[in-house]
Amino acid sequence: YTIRHSWATIAKYMGISTAIISEGLGHNSLRTTEIYLKSFDNKVLDEANRLIVS
């Protein structure tokens, strides 16, 4: 369980879509996959915003 959770979290932080992560984990529902994923903290969101508006 820990390895699957870590794999999904790392994939999300790498920008891999939730749909692809879901398929990789063998889930039938995106909602199930979303449970595995950690929320992005403000630092990650701030960096993404900086890249977009630059």
Side-chain angles (χ1 to χ4, degrees):
Y1 177 82
T2 301
I3 292 170
R4 288 172 55 84
H5 181 90
S6 297
W7 182 89
T9 302
I10 292 166
K12 185 66 175 178
Y13 278 105
M14 292 178 69
I16 297 170
S17 74
T18 303
I20 297 298
I21 296 168
S22 183
E23 186 174 339
L25 293 172
H27 293 159
N28 294 323
S29 165
L30 288 179
R31 180 70 185 127
T32 302
T33 305
E34 290 168 350
I35 293 168
Y36 277 83
L37 303 175
K38 291 183 177 181
S39 297
F40 285 93
D41 63 13
N42 287 337
K43 182 178 177 183
V44 173
L45 293 173
D46 289 345
E47 178 63 16
N49 191 42
R50 185 189 65 76
L51 291 171
I52 292 167
V53 297
S54 295

